[in-house]
């Protein structure tokens, strides 16, 4: 199996059918797209949950570890990539989103499950939330323990993700993350632990619902527009957008280097309510006056950034990220710029909408 990353990778497609005693037409047809991650990780020792190689177990083995999947759905499986998700690339994002859209546009597939590494899962999920053009369910899942571990969490997470994708209640909810028995919206979910099995939370708003023992239940619905209700499409050239952090003793060197490199946008991982060290705030204001989109987010991990609160956005030409963390704010800014959005007023509307 080859590693995928950067601009060049190949897609090794593989079809896996799981036999079932139920009539085929009684079970939803779910495509499982594997991309790698710890869920496909392998360690030399079953007690090892930190030192292992991610993305080496194939989708056929992931499915074979969960025989009861056949009672839930007819599975069509594809190995889209085999990466550690820290190496997720814009090119692979394009390929993945295009594949999801192609599968969901046919009458043959009722929903998609994507197995992914936990490290950039929230970014991929939000990207798909904004660019999938279907109301059919798309559910990402992952694992904190490699497939070889004692008490590996991947098999149950995979079964639960397929259960969610196969459930009628998931239609129209946008892209979802099924992890550790909870169902999260792609917009809200973030990874909050480096090691715990309960590694994903939706700060402030909480999970959408839960999945357990073959049953998925939604306790609330997604409020903001997504998928078919956005203007974003995948396939346009990705604009250069980078993230800059604000911290004690921060200097303007990074901002100057990014502007000199020709980036079209900078997201600031600000302190507190998106406040920015004085030494880089002026450099960012200069960048904004030259047409670089500057978005204020926060490194705090929950809450929102109030426009004109901790910095005078109107005066400096900045945009507030609302409740998006810096990594999701970068996703939205790239899509908005690729869609032709320009200027703080138009970009602020995108952040207030999505
Ligand atoms: C990865 O993100 O691919 C590795 C870490 C994980 O999946 O937990």
């Amino acid at each position: 199996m080859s590693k995928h990353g950067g601009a060049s990778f190949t897609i090794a497609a593989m079809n896996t059918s799981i036999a079932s005693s139920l009539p085929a037409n009684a079970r939803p047809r779910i495509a499982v797209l594997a991309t790698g991650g710890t869920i496909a990780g392998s360690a030399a020792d079953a007690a090892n949950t930190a030192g292992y190689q991610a993305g080496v177990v194939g989708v056929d083995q992931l499915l074979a570890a969960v025989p009861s999947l056949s009672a839930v759905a007819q599975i069509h499986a594809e190995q889209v990539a085999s990466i550690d998700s820290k190496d997720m690339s814009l090119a692979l994002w394009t390929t993945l989103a295009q594949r999801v859209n192609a599968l969901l546009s046919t009458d043959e597939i009722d929903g998609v499950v994507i197995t992914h590494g936990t490290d950039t899962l929230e970014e991929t999920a939000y990207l798909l939330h904004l660019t999938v053009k279907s109301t059919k369910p798309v559910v990402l899942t992952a694992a904190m323990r490699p497939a070889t571990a004692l008490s590996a969490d991947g098999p149950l997470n995979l079964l639960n993700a397929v259960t969610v994708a196969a459930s009628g209640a998931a239609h129209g909810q946008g892209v979802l993350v099924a992890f550790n028995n909870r169902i999260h919206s792609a917009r809200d979910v973030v990874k909050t632990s480096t090691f715990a099995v309960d590694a994903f939370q939706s700060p402030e708003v909480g999970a959408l619902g839960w999945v357990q023992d073959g049953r998925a239940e939604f306790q609330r619905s997604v409020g903001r527009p997504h998928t078919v209700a956005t203007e974003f499409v995948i396939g346009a050239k990705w604009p250069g957008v980078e993230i800059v952090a604000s911290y004690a003793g921060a200097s303007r060197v990074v901002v100057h280097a990014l502007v000199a490199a020709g980036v079209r946008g900078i997201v600031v991982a600000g302190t507190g309510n998106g406040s920015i060290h004085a030494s880089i705030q002026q450099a960012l204001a200069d960048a904004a006056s030259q047409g670089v989109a500057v978005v204020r987010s926060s490194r705090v991990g929950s809450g929102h950034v109030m426009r004109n609160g901790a910095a005078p956005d109107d005066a400096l030409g900045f945009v507030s990220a609302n409740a998006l963390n810096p990594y999701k704010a970068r996703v939205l800014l790239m899509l908005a710029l690729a869609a032709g959005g320009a200027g703080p007023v138009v970009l602020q509307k995108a952040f207030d909408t999505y």
Side-chain angles (χ1 to χ4, degrees):
M1 192 174 298
S2 61
K3 285 277 171 189
H4 303 273
S8 63
F9 54 86
T10 56
I11 302 173
M14 178 184 60
N15 297 331
T16 304
S17 295
I18 296 183
S20 170
S21 54
L22 291 175
N25 62 7
R27 292 167 289 130
R29 296 150 303 178
I30 304 298
V32 175
L33 306 186
T35 67
T38 294
I39 193 169
S42 177
D45 187 323
N48 200 338
T49 59
Y52 58 87
Q53 194 176 356
V56 293
V57 175
V59 67
D60 51 341
Q61 287 173 265
L62 298 186
L63 296 172
V66 195
S68 52
L69 275 176
S70 61
V72 180
Q74 304 169 70
I75 305 293
H76 162 87
E78 298 183 14
Q79 191 76 48
V80 176
S82 302
I83 63 164
D84 184 319
S85 80
K86 71 180 175 57
D87 297 322
M88 180 54 71
S89 67
L90 301 181
L92 182 50
W93 267 356
T94 301
T95 298
L96 183 61
Q98 287 176 338
R99 188 68 190 131
V100 171
N101 278 323
L103 285 164
L104 293 181
S105 70
T106 75
D107 291 335
E108 310 300 315
I109 293 295
D110 300 310
V112 168
V113 166
I114 300 168
T115 60
H116 198 287
T118 60
D119 288 348
T120 57
L121 181 144
E122 68 205 57
E123 296 170 56
T124 299
Y126 189 50
L127 173 86
L128 296 172
H129 192 62
L130 297 175
T131 58
V132 165
K133 295 303 165 202
S134 173
T135 58
K136 295 177 186 175
V138 177
V139 184
L140 281 80
T141 196
M144 289 299 285
R145 296 175 178 158
T148 50
L150 291 170
S151 296
D153 51 333
L156 186 56
N157 281 345
L158 177 57
L159 178 62
N160 283 340
V162 172
T163 300
V164 173
S167 101
H171 277 254
Q173 299 273 14
V175 172
L176 304 168
V177 173
F179 200 89
N180 203 40
N181 292 107
R182 298 200 194 282
I183 307 167
H184 298 270
S185 168
R187 182 178 189 273
D188 306 326
V189 73
V190 291
K191 184 176 179 180
T192 56
S193 174
T194 57
F195 75 102
V197 170
D198 197 8
F200 284 86
Q201 311 289 334
S202 294
E204 301 290 333
V205 292
L208 289 178
W210 52 263
V211 51
Q212 186 177 29
D213 297 358
R215 191 166 155 208
E217 190 168 307
F218 285 76
Q219 291 152 325
R220 66 180 178 88
S221 292
V222 176
R224 290 179 181 243
H226 53 75
T227 56
V228 294
T230 82
E231 69 265 39
F232 307 123
V233 290
I234 209 78
K237 189 172 182 302
W238 291 99
V241 175
E242 301 290 343
I243 299 171
V244 169
S246 188
Y247 46 86
S251 84
R252 60 188 67 194
V253 172
V254 176
V255 174
H256 284 170
L258 292 176
V259 172
V263 295
R264 293 195 48 210
I266 298 175
V267 175
V268 195
T271 39
N273 200 325
S275 53
I276 306 170
H277 195 292
S279 68
I280 56 174
Q281 181 159 307
Q282 187 55 51
L284 289 166
D286 292 344
S289 71
Q290 293 168 43
V292 176
V294 176
V295 175
R296 278 195 312 122
S297 179
S298 173
R299 66 184 207 181
V300 167
S302 68
H304 59 268
V305 168
M306 178 66 80
R307 183 167 176 82
N308 289 320
D313 295 309
D314 287 347
L316 301 182
F318 293 170
V319 173
S320 117
N322 205 298
L324 296 179
N325 70 18
Y327 316 103
K328 292 188 187 186
R330 175 174 175 264
V331 169
L332 177 53
L333 183 55
M334 283 192 292
L335 291 173
L337 290 171
V345 173
V346 170
L347 293 172
Q348 187 65 64
K349 187 157 184 285
F351 277 85
D352 290 344
T353 303
Y354 301 110

